[in-house]
């Protein structure tokens, strides 16, 4: 009986269990969760990031660079087309490619020398006999420099012309330099020779023309690039990374970015083009770059008195000003310098290569990663170091996608921009063509142009809101060539400051100018952006940039011997930037920190109050609206941060996450205002632009104040008041986007 | 044994059932659906719309109007403040109010007459004796006109002054009118008398000044407003809706909308203000409106020859031009007309009253419904008909919210704008202050200003994308005073056309100008908008607007007797606009149709090709980019429509619905371009603006073409080409926002 009871109970228990199992698993609950419920709540996968980091390979990057630098690939040349095909082939690879890749063409206005009539710089006697001729090409040390596709050094967008005149040393060609010279001499009809640095390339000619200067030479002084070294017997490349005497920095001599003939319009075939004579911001007089080998010969023969100490360079002679012209004891005495330039403007088809990985949950959110493809010559460092890194990133990410192991939450767009060297043209035209779509949907833009300037430490610039995610990524990556030091720990040793909020942290830079393809994203579209690279140990060199920059020596040989032997810095950059990219693409809540933006605004405000408030009070201009705006921004940012921290967003409606992410994504858009800098083409982000006043505060305010203080005119004080209103309205408007949505 | 087996089986079955029940209900499935899953998929509730329609009450609207029109409520006067308090009280009502309501103040530049020195229009003899004086106030027929707060008729923003000169009839004050007069007479030192209509108010003076005219009078001709009727013995109000002889249309005489001293900036206390003398677009010479009673006396005494037929009005005399001045046989012979204006510009605090109902699922999406609150006098029709409707809408919706019966998916914002009559100031300042937030989040703007011009039929204007939802709503509402005819069926009888896509449908209007508070939303923010009202049977009147417009006769008495007895038209407007509002706020997929936009673009394109292509070919300007852009827009719109139709969006991830809704919401934003109309203040929507060329096609193209054709200058053809590029880029850019998001 007991047995029976036991059997019955066991049976009953078994039946009950079966019933429970059937009830639980066998019958579909009407309200069971749809499959997408988990997808929408998914956060970034740290294991995947680890896997990504482990797969980024320095040797792959090295081989990418070798391939990319086989031939010169100046924009729109056959070498450029070869790199277009390479990108497309890699991004369409069935095993390691992206979801899709294509090219987009723009017909853009470029400027080239005439291969049949090379530009010339000569010294000519009063009887017009040529008594000295500057080099037309750089001296070859490897086969690279002998490639017939190496473009002659020239100043893109310099007009053609044949000016001849007495030579004058004009330091860096800044307005103050010409002003200084003009005090003691008549500059009309002279040729100025200037050093690179201190002023923009085009500015050296634009600043000169009003004084009657008719031509400009520009060279790189060994003081500014070679830590003073000059000899190619044993000091410069191929013996070191230093610039050989005949090396010449090429460049684009324009002030505005983007295609110069289609301002604010994408340069398609039928697009209206302004007449060439209406282009602004380019040299009004011929300008030509030369090597310091030739500059030495010219400068050391100049007459007059020694120039001020801060005008002196590294040559073992006095940099004289006076005359103008050569000294009487010189073989060049009474001679002129003649400048023959034959540059031509041409409409050319330039290609961007675009690639995408489609997002799974939010395909309408874009993380954009870009790098230009075109170089001046072989461009091993500029830009192919970045392109090699990008190709390694897309290989590793593409493989995970093709193997079905990963698909980002948001879409990732890769841009291989064309014609950057001529003024960020490919990226600017892209943002013009897709203006609205990109404005509405882009989470962030990551720019890696020159990936490795030098192999000492990470350098990162960007909006304050990206600091946090860059730090997080940098802490997870080993510094180049180090096994137990993170990129972050290494970085903080080289560059740091004490943040009111975070204490001692690495120092991020700001994207105030238009130095690379982030410009259109930051200044025209108001998209949160960053620029990442490896760079110098500043205690070891004063070079203003890596010495082979824009010369025929920027080759694979140079890069692999002197910039990043072993390609470990490239690897560290690829890992850090890729880590940031994955976090932006995959995080449930966007890793953009608005409180760090508030910290910046407060620092700018404090500085502005220190510098300007007492003077502004005397002209009845109140800074209170600006103070209120910054305070409301801080308060809204803290509140939003608190909400993110205190919510379990993974279990709440995905609409809430989206709402917060939209607030974070669109934050920088709120700072856009066409009234911000009406005199600066395509600069509309009220917080970011370069300030000629050079203060660490709101740039428009600093410049307006400096002008008013100098002129004392009430109309200029009105402009200060006006800009303060624009600035305050924009910061308050940005704060409005961060507060509770209704 | 059988029994035992049966009992065992039954027991086992029972146990199994219990188990199944426990398993199914007793144990929480880890993957059971979160509560928000149903919320995010919820669509508009048709039963709720029916309930809303049934609760909208004509008598409530009537009583709202009675309350609102007790005293004159010109912007910033005590009467205006009384309406501010009324709005706040209603919107804060615990049983029928909104979630929240508040006021927002702006310090704006208004213009008023001097109550101590009323403006005067007189006829003065050569010895300066006053021989005729025009009325300073309108003749009273009800107590309303005797209210001391009735502002004297004046032209806001007319400068003060005392011009005196010979009178000249200048028709409507168009450029062509003055040009015509100038052919035969010297206009220097004259006073022009003009009819309302044909040109903007300010334009009548701005057009006159270059010819040396020193003052302008403006009046409403009975031909244009009264179907010719003139007598207050039996023809005009209080005997009918027609304007009494002494009635005067007041108005704002400015060209640009928004506060005139803070262009593009919200007019806060500390905001920088441009100097008064830098204001553009206002009369450079004094101008004053008068009644047709006085205009009759003046015009019928004018000398010269009869003006052209289309210059003649309804007076029983010849409208002469010549002289200038009065005819010799007149008692006014040799007399001048003198105009004394004492208007003053003043900074005044103007309030918007704002109210919200928070959205449940997508609180960060806004449907905005607005109407201005300020009137010129009692403003029964303009704007209080609209305010009465808005208050009834908020009562019915507020009650449902307070009773817990409803909460919209998206947030609803109500705006009771201030100082509209002075140039849409309250709404414009609001959009300037919250520019980014509103741009990012606003689904649509619904404007109901004058709700009822007349009681014949619905009138609706807006972007083509709102046609569909307006039609849907209009089909569900009974036409005013009809029991079995819908608003839609009634509308199509009065105004229709044959759409290529839909066949015979009611004709919607376009929001090309700045006639009411939609302007900043449409032209400055690029927000999809509509304007809804009831209006005339055009077969019964040619009145250019309801005759009491902007006069002291626009009273409750007038409205309830002659515009909408019984308030059924008000009710129909409230029901239609409210229905649209609920659909925009509650629909899962936004009821905005991008294919209807494509239809408009195609019609504009076809017209442009017909009108311009052959001529453009002769100047080598291609229309192909525009054709390609419109074709790509159509293709993207069809594709998006197809996706919406073919998807079961309620069961897909809410991210997909949001993505589609963002595409629909942001469509008009894609048409914004500061390059569109650089000469028009705050007009940036490339498809919408008024065209002086008056063609049903792209307005910027039409105007640029007309100018180039007339001048024949190649620089003007360049401008046509340029605008074509701007237009094509924007339409292509809009298409890009509609295609698959990646």
């Amino acid at each position: 009986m007991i047995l029976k009871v036991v059997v019955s109970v066991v049976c009953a228990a078994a039946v009950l269990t079966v019933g429970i199992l059937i009830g639980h698993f066998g019958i579909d609950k009407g309200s069971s969760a749809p499959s997408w419920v988990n997808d929408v709540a998914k956060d970034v996968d740290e294991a995947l990031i680890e896997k990504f980091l482990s797969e980024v390979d320095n040797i792959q990057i090295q081989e990418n660079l070798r391939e990319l630098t086989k031939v010169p690939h100046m924009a729109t040349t056959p070498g450029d087309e070869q790199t277009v095909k390479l990108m497309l082939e890699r991004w369409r690879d069935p095993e390691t490619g992206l979801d899709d890749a294509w090219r987009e063409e723009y017909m853009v206005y470029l400027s080239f020398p005439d291969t049949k009539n090379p530009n010339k710089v000569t010294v000519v006697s009063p009887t017009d006999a040529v008594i000295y001729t500057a080099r037309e090409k750089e001296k070859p040390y490897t086969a690279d420099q002998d490639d017939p596709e190496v473009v002659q050094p020239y100043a893109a967008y310099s007009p053609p012309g044949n000016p001849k005149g007495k030579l004058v040393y004009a330091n860096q060609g800044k307005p103050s330099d010409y002003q200084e010279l003009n005090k003691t001499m008549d500059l009309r009809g002279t040729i100025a020779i200037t050093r690179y640095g201190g002023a923009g390339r085009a500015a050296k000619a634009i600043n000169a023309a009003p004084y009657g200067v008719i031509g400009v030479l520009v060279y790189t002084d060994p003081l500014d690039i070679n830590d003073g070294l000059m000899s190619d017997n044993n000091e410069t490349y191929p013996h070191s990374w230093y610039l050989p005497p005949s090396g010449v920095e090429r460049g684009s001599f324009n002030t505005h970015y983007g295609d110069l003939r289609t301002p604010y319009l994408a340069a398609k075939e039928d697009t209206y083009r302004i007449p060439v004579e209406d282009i602004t911001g380019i040299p009004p007089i011929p300008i030509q770059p030369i090597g310091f080998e030739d500059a030495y010969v010219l400068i050391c023969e100049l007459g007059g008195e020694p120039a001020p100490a801060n005008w002196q360079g590294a040559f073992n002679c006095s940099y004289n000003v006076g005359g103008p012209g050569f000294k009487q004891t010189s073989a060049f005495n009474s001679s002129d310098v003649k400048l023959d330039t034959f540059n031509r403007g041409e409409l050319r088809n330039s290609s961007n290569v675009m690639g995408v990985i489609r997002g799974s949950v939010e395909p309408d959110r874009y993380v954009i990663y870009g790098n230009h493809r075109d170089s001046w010559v072989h461009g091993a460092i500029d830009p192919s170091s970045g392109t090699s890194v990008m190709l390694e990133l897309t290989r590793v990410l593409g493989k995970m996608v093709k193997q079905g192991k990963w698909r980002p939450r948001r879409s990732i767009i890769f841009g291989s921009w064309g014609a950057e060297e001529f003024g960020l043209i490919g990226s600017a035209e892209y943002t013009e063509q897709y203006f609205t779509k990109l404005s509405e949907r882009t989470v962030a833009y990551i720019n890696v142009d020159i990936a490795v300037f030098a192999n000492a430490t990470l350098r990162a610039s960007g909006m304050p809101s990206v600091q946090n995610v860059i730090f997080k990524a940098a802490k997870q990556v080993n510094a180049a060539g180090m096994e137990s030091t993170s990129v972050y720990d290494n970085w903080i040793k080289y560059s740091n400051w004490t943040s009111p909020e975070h204490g001692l942290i690495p120092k991020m830079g700001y994207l105030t100018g238009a130095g690379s393809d982030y410009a259109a994203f930051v200044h025209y579209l108001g998209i949160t952006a960053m620029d990442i690279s490896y760079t110098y140990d500043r205690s070891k060199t004063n070079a203003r940039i890596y010495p082979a920059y824009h010369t025929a020596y920027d080759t694979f040989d140079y890069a692999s011997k002197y910039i990043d032997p072993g390609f470990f810095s490239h690897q560290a950059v690829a890992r850090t930037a890729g880590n940031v990219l994955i976090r932006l693409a995959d995080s449930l809540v966007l890793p953009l920190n608005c409180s760090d933006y508030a910290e910046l605004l407060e620092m700018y405000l404090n500085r502005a109050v220190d510098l300007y408030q007492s003077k502004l009070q005397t002209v009845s201009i109140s800074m209170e609206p600006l103070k209120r705006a910054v305070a409301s921004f801080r308060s809204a940012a803290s509140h939003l941060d608190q909400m993110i921290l205190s919510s379990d967003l993974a279990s709440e409606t995905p609409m809430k996450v989206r709402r917060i992410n939209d607030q974070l994504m669109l934050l920088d858009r709120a700072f856009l205002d066409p009234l911000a800098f009406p005199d600066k083409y395509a600069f509309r982000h009220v917080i970011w632009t370069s300030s000629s006043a050079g203060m660490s505060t709101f740039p428009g305010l600093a410049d307006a104040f400096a002008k008013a203080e100098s002129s004392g005119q009430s109309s200029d004080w009105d402009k200060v008041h006006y800009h303060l209103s624009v600035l305050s309205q924009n910061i308050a408007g940005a704060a409005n986007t961060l507060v509770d949505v209704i």
Side-chain angles (χ1 to χ4, degrees), chain A residues 76-207:
Chain A
T76 72
T77 63
D80 185 27
E81 179 60 21
Q82 218 164 297
T83 60
V84 167
K85 291 195 170 124
L86 175 68
M87 301 305 296
L88 286 171
E89 184 195 313
R90 294 286 182 92
W91 286 355
R92 288 171 176 165
D93 187 287
E95 282 166 20
T96 60
L98 309 174
D99 288 329
D100 200 2
W102 65 95
R103 78 157 84 201
E104 304 215 20
E105 281 194 336
Y106 299 96
M107 191 186 274
V108 301
Y109 183 70
L110 306 184
S111 161
F112 298 101
D114 182 347
T115 48
K116 288 174 192 154
N117 282 306
N119 296 341
K120 275 191 203 318
V121 175
T122 50
V123 178
V124 293
S125 72
T127 59
D128 257 0
V130 172
I131 55 178
Y132 181 79
T133 302
R135 264 186 183 277
E136 284 171 23
K137 292 194 132 192
E138 289 146 314
K139 179 175 169 185
Y141 300 103
T142 69
D144 292 313
Q145 291 88 42
D146 269 333
D147 191 304
E149 290 295 315
V150 173
V151 71
Q152 187 203 11
Y154 75 111
Y157 302 112
S158 161
N162 311 91
K164 188 178 80 168
K166 297 276 175 279
L167 190 68
V168 172
Y169 175 60
N171 194 25
Q172 297 179 310
K174 301 190 294 288
S176 58
D177 293 333
Y178 292 111
Q179 214 176 341
E180 185 63 30
L181 288 174
N182 191 52
K183 286 179 185 164
T184 56
M185 72 180 87
D186 184 352
L187 289 167
R188 284 176 297 173
T190 61
I191 305 284
I193 182 165
T194 60
R195 294 187 283 154
Y196 271 121
R201 293 190 190 102
K204 292 173 195 290
I206 293 170
N207 298 338

Side-chain angles (χ1 to χ4, degrees), chain A residues 227-298:
Chain A
D227 296 313
L229 302 181
M230 290 183 59
S231 163
D232 71 344
N233 286 336
N234 51 6
E235 291 175 338
T236 65
Y237 180 77
H239 309 288
S240 77
W241 81 327
Y242 288 120
L243 182 67
S246 69
V248 185
E249 178 183 321
R250 294 150 185 81
S252 176
F253 284 61
N254 51 7
T255 309
H256 311 312
Y257 66 86
D259 177 48
L260 295 174
R261 294 193 58 195
T262 58
Y264 297 116
L265 292 173
K268 294 294 181 180
E269 198 175 333
D270 288 318
T271 303
Y272 174 73
R273 289 177 163 74
I274 62 171
V276 169
E277 55 272 25
D278 288 355
I279 296 174
T280 58
I282 59 174
I285 52 175
I287 179 167
Q288 173 71 17
I290 58 174
F292 66 75
E293 173 183 293
D294 291 312
Y296 177 82
V297 171
L298 298 175

Side-chain angles (χ1 to χ4, degrees), chain A residues 9 38 153 348 584:
Chain A
V9 168
N38 287 330
R348 295 272 192 103
L584 285 164

